[in-house]
């Protein structure tokens, strides 16, 4: 049987500043999904990248007194460099200002939509938020300000190209209601449906060359206009596959892939769940199958944002606390629905409780007991039927529960299923008290010896399941656990600390 294919993408962030932890959340979520599907034997392509062709980037470069390309290159490099600190398994990384695949594909997409009669040029006046790179109607503002950035939009009047979004309202509604375009969680799905039911308006898909400062992709056959940054950016999901160039990757990963999965933040749902599918319908191309939406990380109750200045540098955070701790907090503490406030103390408290005191302590106890009671040699006897039934059950059901949780885009629920193994293993140790079984064995109790063998085998087996199921979430930590319980010349390696305590470093990030 041919393995299912999953094409998984993140949004591509503006590079008007260096990366922040809010975007690292999306990267780690996407990487975990990609690793999980690979771990289950499925084929995966994971894409990341940067949105270089934004007016926000131009204005930031001007403020910094740096030419735009140099400014964009420097910040884009910082995003690309997150692959190491966050242990990302990206298969591709696209930069919209410099990747030769991108412009060809954007032009191709534009011409396909034009051929469908969905592009027209007309004068327009509206309120434009540079932070969102979006026009707003007055009733979409809160006290005259953009709800996302808290700024007053600029009044802009010019002649632009428009896309006939209104033509696709009914089709989009049917696709979403029918599950062909899946949006998770349900609250975001309902939000998109309400937006469509409220009436979709055609939207501007170009900017004047002058207002864009000449930065971006020229509109095909109209050099006085530059392609709207969202049209440009959304195209990356197919231009990175060589759309418009005849590359077989486009057919393999977009046209015939079983799942085409976009991970996005809640602030850009409109673009990914309405604009982008409508553009694809116009061009006669397949739609994404899944749009998975996460909420925000906050600091002091305010959204982590480059524009707002509420940033946490993920690379610095990893340097202070380690990759495992950062990935673990993002996956273990961030809920499926709802914003969550970040502090370094919360990260270190979670890592110490779950890694140093929990998982690390369990593995250390188990390996120490194998060495203390059996000289490091794992007993040949299999576990007795009555030994640790709850632990054995937790190990058996973990893969199924993890699969179900991640299918529902719920990382916390997935890790809860894995953590059941840790808790049941500790209960087994407390219930059987291996040190007392060893004392009874020394006194000639053969039944105690057999039970001790069974307990040790069961516990080592559980540690191996933990290492296996944790690979997508914390690959480095999982590898250390696996190494600790893998026989070397017939013995498990000597016990060593797997996770340092971090509490003394809290607040340094």
């Amino acid at each position: 049987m041919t393995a299912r294919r999953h094409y998984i993408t993140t949004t591509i962030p503006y590079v008007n500043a260096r990366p922040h932890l809010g975007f690292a959340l999306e990267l780690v979520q996407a990487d975990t999904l990609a690793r999980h599907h690979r771990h289950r034997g499925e084929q995966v392509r994971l894409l990341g990248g940067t949105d270089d062709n934004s007016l926000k980037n131009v204005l930031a470069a001007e403020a910094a007194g740096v030419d735009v390309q140099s400014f964009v290159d420097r910040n884009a490099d910082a995003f690309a460099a997150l692959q190491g600190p966050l242990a990302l398994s990206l298969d591709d990384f696209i930069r919209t200002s410099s990747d030769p695949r991108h412009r060809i594909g954007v032009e191709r997409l534009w011409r396909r939509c034009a051929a469908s009669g969905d592009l027209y040029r007309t004068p327009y006046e509206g309120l434009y938020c540079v932070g969102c790179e979006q026009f707003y109607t007055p009733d979409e503002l809160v006290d005259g300000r953009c709800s996302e950035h808290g700024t007053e939009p600029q009044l802009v009047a010019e002649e632009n190209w428009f896309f006939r979004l209104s033509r696709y309202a009914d089709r989009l509604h049917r696709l979403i209601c029918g599950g062909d375009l899946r949006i998770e969680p349900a609250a975001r799905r309902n939000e998109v449906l309400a937006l469509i039911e409220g009436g979709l308006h055609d939207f501007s898909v170009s900017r004047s060359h002058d207002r864009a400062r000449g930065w971006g992709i020229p509109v095909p056959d109209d050099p006085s206009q530059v392609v709207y940054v969202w049209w440009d950016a959304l195209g990356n999901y197919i231009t990175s596959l060589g759309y418009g160039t005849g590359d077989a990757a486009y057919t393999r990963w977009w046209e015939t892939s079983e799942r085409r999965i976009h991970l996005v933040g809640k602030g850009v749902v409109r673009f990914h769940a309405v604009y982008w599918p409508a553009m694809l319908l116009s061009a006669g191309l397949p739609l994404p199958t899944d749009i998975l939406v996460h909420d925000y990380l906050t600091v002091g109750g305010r959204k982590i944002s480059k524009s707002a200045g509420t940033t946490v540098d993920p690379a610095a955070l990893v340097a202070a606390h380690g990759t495992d701790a950062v990935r673990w907090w993002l996956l273990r503490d961030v809920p499926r629905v709802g914003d969550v406030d970040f502090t370094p103390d919360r990260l270190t408290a979670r890592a110490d409780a779950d890694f140093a005191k929990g998982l690390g302590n369990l593995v250390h106890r188990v390996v120490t007991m194998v060495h203390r009671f059996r000289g490091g040699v794992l007993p040949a006897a299999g576990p007795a039927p009555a030994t640790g039934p709850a632990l054995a059950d937790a190990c058996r059901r973990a893969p199924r529960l993890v699969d179900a949780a991640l299918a529902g885009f719920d990382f916390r629920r997935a890790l809860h299923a894995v953590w059941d193994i840790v808790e049941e293993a500790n209960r087994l140790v407390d219930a059987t008290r291996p040190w007392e079984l060893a004392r009874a064995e020394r006194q000639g109790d053969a039944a105690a010896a057999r039970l001790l063998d069974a307990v040790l085998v069961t516990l080592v087996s559980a540690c191996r399941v933990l290492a296996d199921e944790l690979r997508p979430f914390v690959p480095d930590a999982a590898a250390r656990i696996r190494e600790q319980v893998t026989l070397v010349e017939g013995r498990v390696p000597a016990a060593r600390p797997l996770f340092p305590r971090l509490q003394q470093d809290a607040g340094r990030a």
Side-chain angles (χ1 to χ4, degrees), residues 245-260:
T245 69
D247 193 325
Y250 170 75
T251 300
R252 176 175 177 78
W253 294 105
W254 192 261
E255 288 189 333
T256 63
S257 189
E258 282 80 4
R259 310 306 297 181
R260 298 174 290 276

Side-chain angles (χ1 to χ4, degrees), residues 35 40 45 69 100 162 208 238 356 369 391 408 428 488:
R35 289 179 180 274
R40 296 294 192 246
R45 184 181 179 96
Q69 190 66 64
F162 274 69
S208 70
I238 57 176
M369 287 189 295
L391 175 56
L428 178 61
V488 178

